[in-house]
Amino acid sequence: MNEPDIPVDEVTGPWWEATRERRLTVQKCRGCGRLQHYPRALCTGCGGTDLDFTDVSGRGTVDSFTVVHRAPRPGVEAPYVVARVRLAEGPLLLTNLVDAEPGSWRCDAPVEVAWRALPDGRNLPVFTLANQD
């Protein structure tokens, strides 16, 4: 998929740096312990500003999804799957589901993180059906 330029700022910078190493992280509030994703300046639990990043397992379940049949711009291949994945640790991620036919996905399917390389060395987390070993 042809990715657009994705900006980095002081809040999202540590998250993007972790993706260079293919580490999936979420924010953790040092005040109340809440985990959250996407990175933001305030804790969604207590409103605190003392936030850090912590690695997560990369495992979760499909919470909701849709199959996109019309490409939003040239260079994007359709169909593709946009999904909310609930991580085992709790936070939701908006992502893509890959490596399976778009019509084969189901809610509650177990998934694990995979990575889509970006031209600048960062990676986007995408999810694939989890190995059931």
Side-chain angles (χ1 to χ4, degrees), residues 43-56:
C43 172
T44 58
C46 70
T49 58
D50 191 8
L51 300 164
D52 200 2
F53 288 85
T54 187
D55 290 353
V56 292

Side-chain angles (χ1 to χ4, degrees), residues 63-132:
D63 179 70
S64 180
F65 70 95
T66 189
V67 179
V68 178
H69 293 279
R70 179 185 270 178
R73 65 183 182 285
V76 175
E77 286 188 41
Y80 60 93
V81 181
V82 176
R84 281 190 344 182
V85 166
R86 170 116 15 226
L87 294 175
E89 295 81 2
L92 286 167
L93 269 75
L94 187 61
T95 187
N96 292 116
L97 300 178
V98 299
D99 297 336
E101 289 299 317
S104 69
W105 288 101
R106 299 290 178 257
C107 287
D108 297 324
V111 292
E112 58 192 4
V113 72
W115 297 95
R116 180 180 296 144
L118 296 174
D120 65 0
R122 295 180 293 168
N123 294 279
L124 281 176
V126 295
F127 284 78
T128 188
L129 198 58
N131 187 347
Q132 297 296 301

Side-chain angles (χ1 to χ4, degrees), residues 26-37 40 42-48 50-54 86 89-92:
V26 296
Q27 278 183 311
K28 182 175 184 176
C29 179
R30 290 185 182 139
C32 72
R34 182 179 183 92
L35 298 177
Q36 64 185 28
H37 184 80
R40 56 198 104 186
L42 297 174
C43 172
T44 58
C46 70
D50 191 8
L51 300 164
D52 200 2
F53 288 85
T54 187
R86 170 116 15 226
E89 295 81 2
L92 286 167

